[in-house]
Amino acid sequence: MRIVSHYKIYFFISGILILASILSLSFWGLKFGLDFTGGSLMEIEFLNERPANQIIQEKLAVLDLGQINIQLTGEKGMILRLKDVDEKTHQEIINKIGRQDLEEKRFESIGPVIGS
């Protein structure tokens, strides 16, 4: 019964949290993933030591791929999420990273399924 008697405090706290949520969404927005925007997903595994994310970013900077999200997987694996690329650009990416030093697990081009 004591909880119900302090309902104004709980409404005030809830209102502050809702206001903070609305303000944070208006300032920073949402970051949509591949499901909303579309793009390409490439999973690779290095045969030797995996290079640092910064090195991969520098190697691929000359290809003008926009923002590249890199997610590390396992001991030597990596998933690259980038804008939609054609087969020629896909092969250029592999060559820039080092064709003989990696094994490509998968490559997928994903359209904006949910966004459409």
Side-chain angles (χ1 to χ4, degrees):
M1 287 293 173
R2 282 190 252 151
I3 292 175
V4 176
S5 65
H6 300 293
Y7 72 94
K8 290 181 183 179
I9 294 171
Y10 298 121
F11 278 139
F12 179 73
I13 292 171
S14 297
I16 294 294
L17 291 175
I18 290 170
L19 182 64
S21 300
I22 291 170
L23 288 175
S24 68
L25 282 174
S26 64
F27 282 121
W28 295 289
L30 295 174
K31 294 182 178 157
F32 296 113
L34 286 179
D35 292 337
F36 286 97
T37 60
S40 295
L41 181 130
M42 181 185 306
E43 183 176 358
I44 55 177
E45 187 166 328
F46 291 90
L47 303 176
N48 299 320
E49 186 177 336
R50 176 177 56 203
N53 291 0
Q54 185 65 26
I55 293 172
I56 299 294
Q57 294 275 3
E58 291 170 1
K59 286 182 177 181
L60 298 180
V62 296
L63 296 178
D64 189 32
L65 298 171
Q67 181 181 359
I68 302 170
N69 293 325
I70 299 175
Q71 178 182 353
L72 303 178
T73 59
E75 294 278 327
K76 298 180 181 181
M78 185 178 284
I79 295 176
L80 304 172
R81 289 182 174 89
L82 42 121
K83 72 177 187 178
D84 196 22
V85 296
D86 58 4
E87 185 58 32
K88 180 181 176 236
T89 309
H90 169 231
Q91 293 304 319
E92 289 177 10
I93 292 169
I94 293 174
N95 289 333
K96 288 285 184 190
I97 295 174
R99 179 178 293 279
Q100 66 280 1
D101 192 36
L102 63 88
E103 175 188 349
E104 184 176 15
K105 297 284 188 178
R106 67 179 166 150
F107 175 76
E108 299 174 359
S109 280
I110 303 167
V113 176
I114 298 174
S116 63

